[in-house]
């Protein structure tokens, strides 16, 4: 067995200034990012943002126009895919329909000249890892969608790659199974410890699974941070809008002071310039205020224009004094619902200063 097809330790990944164009389209535009050893990193972005292209660069199926790629301290940009020691899982499973489960899972081992009892043992081990022990003799068409995806995963990990790449592996599954598999995949990653790069366009999936999230738009890296930081402190309006729900309220900034409608605001971040800023309001961070203004809370007055019961939460729209319509979300326990004002009523909305986050207005709101 050659040294680069090893069953070795997880490796960190260093992506340096990678650009890939197709004609005039920049599928990747000067992307640099590092994935730590054993990290679960998610590439998150809308359709066409360059996620698959970046994954294909990592796998070796796409050669970028320029840039560098290191696995550990080894430059691999010219290394062919089969010598990169990378496991891959695709959206549509890409299983061989005419082979049974064991033959599918054993395929990468056969390529690596593993045979006989060792092959059988490692195939069964991989199947047990994905909770399909004893399924080896089944035909692919006898499996459910979730089971097919587990087989694809077993095939990707059977040779114990140092790096695991997954491109929207759960998007063909229904919501309940998808949410179950998100947690299962994360546990599997923690158990196996491989450096994992996971692609999704689903922001909730990214928040659920990742150590860090790289948000990509038009082939450019928008932000790279842990889920909580991405959600609470988005770097720009694109990230703030793409992840979670938010309303943007224009505020004025001068001399480091922030105000809305003539009233000074307490903020979590200090704007560094006098540029254009929006205040990001997450619907679930707004609370109803009655009576005196609570300490450390900014209060916004408005009128309720819409109220919708959505089961686990209610959604309210309120018009602020400058005409901005903000969304408010709250829990639907009986006690909480009793305090919700009706359509047409005046409402005071409180936002804690720690949730009062300003976003530079970079004019890149998604359509
Ligand atoms: P995502 O996976 O985020 O949906 P892709 O990486 O597939 O995005 O595509 C990024 C951009 O590159 C898109 O504009 C897409 O049309 C273009 N693109 C990707 N692959 C090719 C290709 N083989 N030929 C031409 N254009 C491509
Ligand atoms: Mg894609």
């Amino acid at each position: 067995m050659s040294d680069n097809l090893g069953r070795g330790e997880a490796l960190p990944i260093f992506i340096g200034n990678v650009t890939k164009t197709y004609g005039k389209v920049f599928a990747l535009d000067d992307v640099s990012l590092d994935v730590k050893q054993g990290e679960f990193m998610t590439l998150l972005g809308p359709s066409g943002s360059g996620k698959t292209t970046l994954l294909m660069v990592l796998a070796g199926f796409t050669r970028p126009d320029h840039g560098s790629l290191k696995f550990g301290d080894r430059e691999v940009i010219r290394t062919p895919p089969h010598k990169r020691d990378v496991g891959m899982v695709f959206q549509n499973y890409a299983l061989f329909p005419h082979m049974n489960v064991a033959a599918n899972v054993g395929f990468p081992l056969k390529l690596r000249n593993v045979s006989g009892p060792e092959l059988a043992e490692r195939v069964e081990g991989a199947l047990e890892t994905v909770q399909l022990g004893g399924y080896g003799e089944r035909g692919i068409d006898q499996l459910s969608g979730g089971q097919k995806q587990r087989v694809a995963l077993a095939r990707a990990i059977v040779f114990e790659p140092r790096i695991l790449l997954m491109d929207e592996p759960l998007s063909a599954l229904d919501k309940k199974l998808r949410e179950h598999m998100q947690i299962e995949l994360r546990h599997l990653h923690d158990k196996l410890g491989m450096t994992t790069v996971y692609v999704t366009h689903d922001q909730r999936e990214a928040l659920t699974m990742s150590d860090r999230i790289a948000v990509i738009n038009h082939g450019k890296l928008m932000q790279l941070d842990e889920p909580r930081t991405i959600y609470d402190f988005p770097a720009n309006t694109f990230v703030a809008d793409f992840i979670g729900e938010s309303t943007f309220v224009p505020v004025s900034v001068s001399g480091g002071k922030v105000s809305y409608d003539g009233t000074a605001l307490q903020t979590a971040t200090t704007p560094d310039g006098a540029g254009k800023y929006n205040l990001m309001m997450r619907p679930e961070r707004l609370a109803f205020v009655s009576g005196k203004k609570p300490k450390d809370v900014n209060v916004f007055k408005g009128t309720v224009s819409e109220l919708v019961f959505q089961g686990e939460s209610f959604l309210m729209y309120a018009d602020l004094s400058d005409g901005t319509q903000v969304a408010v979300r709250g829990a639907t326990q009986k006690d909480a619902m009793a305090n919700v004002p009706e359509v047409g009523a005046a409402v005071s909305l409180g936002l804690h200063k720690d949730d009062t986050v300003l976003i530079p207005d970079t004019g890149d709101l998604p359509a």
Side-chain angles (χ1 to χ4, degrees), residues 41-68:
M41 157 83 74
T42 296
L43 308 176
L44 172 67
S47 174
S49 56
K51 306 180 296 293
T52 294
T53 304
L54 185 52
L55 215 63
M56 288 297 149
V57 168
L58 294 177
F61 297 114
T62 295
R63 175 81 70 88
D65 303 346
H66 48 82
S68 86

